[in-house]
Amino acid sequence: MTPASPMKKQTGEWVALMGNPNSGKTALFNLLTGLNQKVSNYPGITVERKMGRAVLNDQCQVQVLDLPGTYSLTPESFDERIVSEEILSWLHGPDRPRVIISVVDASNLERNLYLTSQLLDLNIPVIAALNMMDLVKQNGNPVAPEKLCEELGTAEVLHMSARKNWGVEELKEVIVRVINEPVHGKPDLPFALSGPVRSFLADLTEFFKKEFGYNPRFAWAQALRIITRDSVLDGYLHSQVSGVKLDDKQIKDLQELRDTSISNLKSQGIQPQTLEATLRYRWLDSVLKKAGKLKVEILDRLTPSEKADKILTHPFLGPVIFIGLLTFMFQSIFTWATVPMGWITRGVAVFGEWILDVLPTGTLRDLIVEGIIGGVGAILIFLPQIMILVFFMTLLEDSGYMARVAFMLDRLMTKMGLHGRSVFPMMTGYACAIPGIMATRTIESWKERLVTILVLPLMSCSARLPVYALMIGAFIPHKKVLGLFDAQGLTLVIMYLMGTVTALVLAKIFSYFIHQKGQSSFIMEMPPYRLPLTRSVLRQVILRSKLFVINAGKIIMAISIVLWFLASYPKLEKTNENINPIHHSYAGKIGHAIEPFIKPLGFDWKIGIGLITSFAAREVMVSTLATIYNVEAGGKDVVLLTEALQEDKDPKTGELLYSPLVALSLMVFFVYAAQCMATFAIVRNETNSWKWPFFMIFYMTALAYLASLCVYQGGQLLGFS
Amino acid sequence: MSEQVTIASLETGEIATIEGYLNEQISQSRLVEMGLLPGTPVRMIKKTPLNGPVEIKVRDFYLSLRMRDALNILVKK
């Protein structure tokens, strides 16, 4: 027997989770699947497909697919494109979900049920989960679920609240029931098409039925949808994830039929681009009326969010509060992390000493103490700071504040060639460029999305934090500046500001050279302010910390080991007190070879080695220095990197090797340099070309070298050392 | 007595009813899908300086739009 092929990995039953952005879909996904989540990629491209296993009862487990939030099956952004293509793959292939759970924000029924009504066309049982019922019950009359279910044609409608964790057990029972006894929607579109519309769409509908085998209801729905926007046609012609391939004749026929339908409709004064939405809303309004939703739109009721926004998005106070929050955040990263960083430092030292005691003297002990503990330990120290950064970023996003920032800054961002929606990806870039680049998928316009991606790695990510923290901790005094700011915290803020301002300026320059495809728009829902859930904030913090530690465990450990060998061999025959053996090691030779190029920036050969190794990941710089100093010390103790840097002397002149100016120059280099290979791999995937990642590596390297040169040479001219 | 105006000309706090759209624009399809159909009431929530985006309330949610889109939506006061 051959082992199971990778194609078979999706055995058994699976269900799909779909809903509008801000409908609480992810919260429900987390409740259903707990920690049993796995992110895989669509074949060929790095677009994650989030699956998790949900235990429904003792006998029944299903896989749950979490799809990106979308308002409609007609795509506008890249995220929505993924959803609409995923659906095409269900209808064109053998693998489809047993049930779709349509997550609905119950305080916002019409707009959310719009998507549900599109899902009902697929001939797959749909469960409508009316989420956030806790808010609706507070504010008035909830609709009758039975009546709504009957009118919509769903398998079930139920009330729940993922926030309050109620209704989830009932949902699980309903999923089991619907899997065992599927209830399909009505066989025809629930709303009538007028005579002319029907006749103009008949040929397209026939085409879908005959060529792709669509059921009649979906064939009509798809005919209605393909005439609204080019993006639907594009999903058939250039599929990215669905794998749908049309032959030349099908392409020609489809385009011709579509053009004919559109011109026929227009000749009758019917607007094809709003036809589907008009028909669906008219039907939904009648459904909701029958289900008992009072048609009183209390538009002028002041919600608490609106009151808060009077201050938080105030034209003057709003930006001031935003800048205040950012400053507070970066100051806290330094002050709050001090104590836990001390624990980790001591922990690493104690562990190193224990290893020194238990293991016999020899190469293995040297490798473990100098290479592994020295290198990985130096990185683990920065875990508390990264946790604090992720904690703040998650709070800002989950509370709904980031949408307000996008709103306030859209005008400014547009002026810089970016988009209001660029703000969140760029701020995510403070944590890590990779999720930031992925978050640009919500920007509809290709030009603004590309410009955002190009400048995003200039936002100082958490991997630079260890480098900044090390240099600041060692060389910037801990004193008050202007009686208000801490010099260390202020230096950190300046580093972040430098990257951010440069990113904005370059965005403006790049946007002159990149041509717009399509029109840019900014239609964004402002979600109500919500208190972030402790469990989802913790989850984010744990997730990112885990990634960081695993990274430290894998890449950094591997590099530390390789580096230890390079720094320790070849061993000198006899130890001469005056010769430092590391100069003659392989690493020393490499470092000395590049020293002439980096000397003008104030860097010596040790930093040179770090610059090479940090191409794998920026934080490796710190572990590299740690390993070098540990090897130098000869494994008698675990060296404290900060002290080693402060006390390191030039062997010839006896002067201190590193100064605040060198530290500054190095930090500036790290602000700009292209160092994280993973980032460029992601850019390759998201832009579908090698051109852009190579461009980024080129411009960032040039920028880093020039900026560092200016800092070091300029600083020396001004008399700093 | 009624006059035809666009959403952009509403004062903060003012309520009006959507009449239709001035021109065919790409953004129009998405606005309609979000429920901004003729006959739907809207309220102007916030305007930003220098013709920046506006925030409106429509159906049960708050929406921000750029000035260009706001100038394309006709309303009846």
Side-chain angles (χ1 to χ4, degrees):
Chain A
M1 288 295 289
T2 48
S5 68
M7 292 294 289
K8 273 247 176 117
K9 64 177 181 258
Q10 273 179 19
T11 48
E13 263 120 44
W14 63 284
V15 301
L17 208 55
M18 303 184 69
N20 280 191
N22 307 309
S23 60
K25 191 175 53 64
T26 306
L28 178 59
F29 179 68
N30 290 340
L31 277 179
L32 283 174
T33 60
L35 290 164
N36 300 315
Q37 296 180 7
K38 228 179 106 188
V39 177
S40 61
N41 287 332
Y42 283 98
I45 49 169
T46 327
V47 172
E48 335 78 281
R49 202 166 184 267
K50 227 162 87 186
M51 276 274 202
R53 197 181 70 237
V55 180
L56 300 177
N57 60 28
D58 297 342
Q59 289 101 44
C60 190
Q61 292 189 355
V62 286
Q63 292 289 325
V64 184
L65 173 69
D66 185 23
L67 285 162
T70 182
Y71 291 110
S72 158
L73 294 187
T74 316
E76 290 262 316
S77 64
F78 187 68
D79 257 349
E80 294 181 335
R81 167 106 189 217
I82 294 168
V83 177
S84 71
E85 284 203 27
E86 170 83 37
I87 281 177
L88 279 188
S89 80
W90 300 346
L91 288 146
H92 285 252
D95 195 27
R96 56 174 69 186
R98 297 291 294 266
V99 177
I100 297 171
I101 302 153
S102 172
V103 187
V104 169
D105 172 359
S107 63
N108 221 320
L109 274 179
E110 291 108 306
R111 202 200 62 216
N112 278 261
L113 287 177
Y114 183 83
L115 179 67
T116 314
S117 84
Q118 291 183 324
L119 297 175
L120 281 161
D121 298 336
L122 305 177
N123 199 32
I124 296 169
V126 175
I127 299 170
L130 305 192
N131 194 15
M132 309 194 188
M133 269 326 276
D134 50 323
L135 296 175
V136 177
K137 284 190 172 153
Q138 268 173 25
N139 297 335
N141 69 317
V143 292
E146 303 78 23
K147 191 70 190 159
L148 189 59
C149 182
E150 187 192 318
E151 292 293 331
L152 284 172
T154 48
E156 183 70 82
V157 172
L158 72 151
H159 288 174
M160 61 165 293
S161 167
R163 268 186 88 78
K164 301 262 176 206
N165 197 2
W166 54 257
V168 180
E169 290 309 311
E170 287 84 339
L171 176 64
K172 286 181 182 172
E173 283 167 27
V174 171
I175 298 172
V176 175
R177 202 186 72 219
V178 177
I179 287 176
N180 292 329
E181 309 153 29
V183 184
H184 293 273
K186 294 164 185 149
D188 296 308
L189 282 180
F191 43 84
L193 301 175
S194 70
V197 172
R198 223 182 155 78
S199 65
F200 294 146
L201 293 180
D203 289 345
L204 260 177
T205 309
E206 270 317 300
F207 174 87
F208 284 129
K209 282 195 234 173
K210 204 168 107 270
E211 298 294 329
F212 305 145
Y214 291 170
N215 70 70
R217 178 169 172 176
F218 187 67
W220 280 107
Q222 200 64 352
L224 206 50
R225 193 168 304 130
I226 201 167
I227 57 169
T228 59
R229 303 220 257 310
D230 292 342
S231 62
V232 185
L233 180 66
D234 203 51
Y236 282 103
L237 303 187
H238 312 103
S239 95
Q240 298 195 24
V241 301
S242 69
V244 171
K245 276 262 180 295
L246 276 64
D247 60 41
D248 289 346
K249 184 170 182 315
Q250 284 175 324
I251 292 175
K252 193 167 152 279
D253 287 353
L254 185 59
Q255 281 173 327
E256 277 178 12
L257 286 171
R258 181 176 179 267
D259 290 344
T260 317
S261 297
I262 291 176
S263 61
N264 281 340
L265 286 165
K266 282 189 174 162
S267 74
Q268 294 289 310
I270 302 166
Q271 288 196 323
Q273 72 270 38
T274 55
L275 185 59
E276 185 195 4
T278 315
L279 290 168
R280 275 189 204 277
Y281 269 104
R282 207 179 289 158
W283 173 66
L284 278 174
D285 283 340
S286 77
V287 166
L288 284 168
K289 208 170 151 194
K290 284 179 200 158
K293 185 180 192 271
L294 295 180
K295 187 76 189 165
V296 217
E297 272 151 1
I298 318 164
L299 271 183
D300 49 358
R301 196 190 64 217
L302 264 183
T303 58
S305 294
E306 207 183 312
K307 278 183 213 154
D309 271 341
K310 285 206 187 299
I311 298 165
L312 290 174
T313 61
H314 185 276
F316 173 70
L317 284 178
V320 171
I321 293 171
F322 176 57
I323 291 169
L325 276 175
L326 281 187
T327 315
F328 173 74
M329 184 169 115
F330 288 117
Q331 294 271 344
S332 317
I333 288 173
F334 252 77
T335 46
W336 294 2
T338 329
V339 177
M341 283 171 81
W343 297 337
I344 298 177
T345 315
R346 252 169 287 146
V348 170
V350 167
F351 186 64
E353 278 157 27
W354 178 73
I355 294 283
L356 281 175
D357 282 347
V358 273
L359 286 183
T361 341
T363 310
L364 181 67
R365 195 180 83 169
D366 289 351
L367 171 66
I368 292 176
V369 175
E370 298 168 5
I372 299 173
I373 299 179
V376 176
I379 279 302
L380 281 185
I381 291 172
F382 300 100
L383 187 60
Q385 294 185 332
I386 283 158
M387 289 171 88
I388 295 170
L389 181 74
V390 175
F391 170 76
F392 278 119
M393 291 299 301
T394 315
L395 279 191
L396 292 182
E397 170 65 0
D398 284 8
S399 61
Y401 183 69
M402 280 316 295
R404 272 72 185 182
V405 175
F407 174 69
M408 284 191 287
L409 298 184
D410 183 60
R411 186 86 196 117
L412 173 73
M413 297 303 266
T414 317
K415 279 237 181 301
M416 302 318 288
L418 296 159
H419 189 278
R421 284 218 178 104
S422 308
V423 180
F424 179 66
M426 289 178 78
M427 287 195 52
T428 307
Y430 284 141
C432 175
I434 291 163
I437 288 169
M438 288 178 166
T440 62
R441 288 177 191 160
T442 56
I443 304 171
E444 291 96 348
S445 126
W446 164 248
K447 174 181 172 171
E448 286 159 349
R449 182 166 168 233
L450 178 62
V451 174
T452 312
I453 291 175
L454 291 181
V455 301
L456 203 141
L458 294 175
M459 309 299 285
S460 283
C461 63
S462 54
R464 283 155 168 125
L465 196 52
V467 182
Y468 297 158
L470 176 70
M471 289 296 152
I472 291 174
F475 295 105
I476 307 294
H478 190 61
K479 65 175 185 202
K480 289 268 179 221
V481 182
L482 302 170
L484 191 66
F485 302 104
D486 176 51
Q488 294 190 328
L490 195 65
T491 311
L492 187 69
V493 171
I494 291 171
M495 290 306 135
Y496 278 86
L497 270 181
M498 265 179 86
T500 313
V501 171
T502 312
L504 292 178
V505 173
L506 284 180
K508 181 78 192 164
I509 296 170
F510 291 160
S511 68
Y512 282 120
F513 297 98
I514 296 165
H515 294 289
Q516 180 78 281
K517 283 188 217 165
Q519 204 177 31
S520 159
S521 73
F522 177 68
I523 298 170
M524 186 189 67
E525 187 190 352
M526 299 274 243
Y529 285 110
R530 289 181 187 132
L531 202 62
L533 286 176
T534 320
R535 58 169 187 264
S536 59
V537 175
L538 284 183
R539 181 187 200 93
Q540 243 347 82
V541 172
I542 291 169
L543 209 75
R544 290 235 67 92
S545 312
K546 223 166 82 184
L547 275 178
F548 179 77
V549 172
I550 290 172
N551 210 12
K554 279 193 202 150
I555 304 176
I556 296 172
M557 188 183 288
I559 292 177
S560 296
I561 292 173
V562 171
L563 200 73
W564 178 83
F565 275 107
L566 289 179
S568 305
Y569 292 92
K571 290 258 189 223
L572 287 178
E573 286 295 316
K574 55 178 190 286
T575 355
N576 186 331
E577 279 299 310
N578 296 324
I579 303 173
N580 189 337
I582 205 163
H583 284 275
H584 299 276
S585 69
Y586 298 116
K589 283 179 185 141
I590 297 169
H592 283 296
I594 62 164
E595 206 177 44
F597 298 102
I598 54 173
K599 198 87 204 164
L601 312 183
F603 305 156
D604 70 335
W605 61 276
K606 285 178 193 162
I607 293 179
I609 300 169
L611 292 183
I612 293 174
T613 51
S614 56
F615 265 98
R618 292 182 172 92
E619 65 271 36
V620 174
M621 177 79 199
V622 174
S623 55
T624 301
L625 288 176
T627 305
I628 293 173
Y629 280 109
N630 273 294
V631 172
E632 212 170 45
K636 286 184 278 294
D637 217 338
V638 178
V639 172
L640 275 178
L641 190 50
T642 313
E643 286 167 19
L645 283 173
Q646 284 165 341
E647 289 157 12
D648 197 7
K649 290 189 178 70
D650 190 315
K652 288 177 208 125
T653 60
E655 282 172 23
L656 284 179
L657 205 48
Y658 302 118
S659 63
L661 189 61
V662 175
L664 222 52
S665 170
L666 184 68
M667 283 191 275
V668 169
F669 190 88
F670 269 75
V671 168
Y672 295 124
Q675 288 170 312
C676 166
M677 289 298 114
T679 303
F680 301 106
I682 289 289
V683 174
R684 154 74 186 84
N685 272 312
E686 296 284 319
T687 62
N688 222 351
S689 123
W690 279 111
K691 181 169 89 179
W692 299 115
F694 278 121
F695 170 70
M696 287 163 80
I697 292 174
F698 172 75
Y699 97 76
M700 289 175 73
T701 309
L703 198 62
Y705 195 90
L706 287 177
S708 246
L709 192 69
C710 289
V711 169
Y712 189 67
Q713 299 297 335
Q716 281 195 323
L717 281 178
L718 292 173
F720 294 105
S721 60
Chain B
M1 214 184 85
S2 71
E3 44 173 336
Q4 266 216 329
V5 286
T6 66
I7 278 193
S9 67
L10 294 180
E11 297 294 326
T12 303
E14 204 172 354
I15 296 181
T17 308
I18 296 177
E19 287 269 275
Y21 292 81
L22 208 55
N23 305 306
E24 272 183 33
Q25 275 193 12
I26 296 175
S27 61
Q28 186 184 343
S29 307
R30 177 43 52 97
L31 289 171
V32 175
E33 281 174 331
M34 292 183 103
L36 279 76
L37 293 158
T40 314
V42 290
R43 177 159 68 100
M44 175 59 73
I45 302 295
K46 185 162 268 181
K47 292 178 151 181
T48 52
L50 306 167
N51 287 330
V54 300
E55 182 185 356
I56 57 170
K57 188 174 185 184
V58 56
R59 291 178 188 261
D60 293 311
F61 63 98
Y62 294 89
L63 189 70
S64 69
L65 304 171
R66 281 203 184 134
M67 209 30 139
R68 204 191 43 230
D69 296 316
L71 283 167
N72 196 36
I73 308 173
L74 295 169
V75 291
K76 197 165 123 188
K77 289 191 188 177

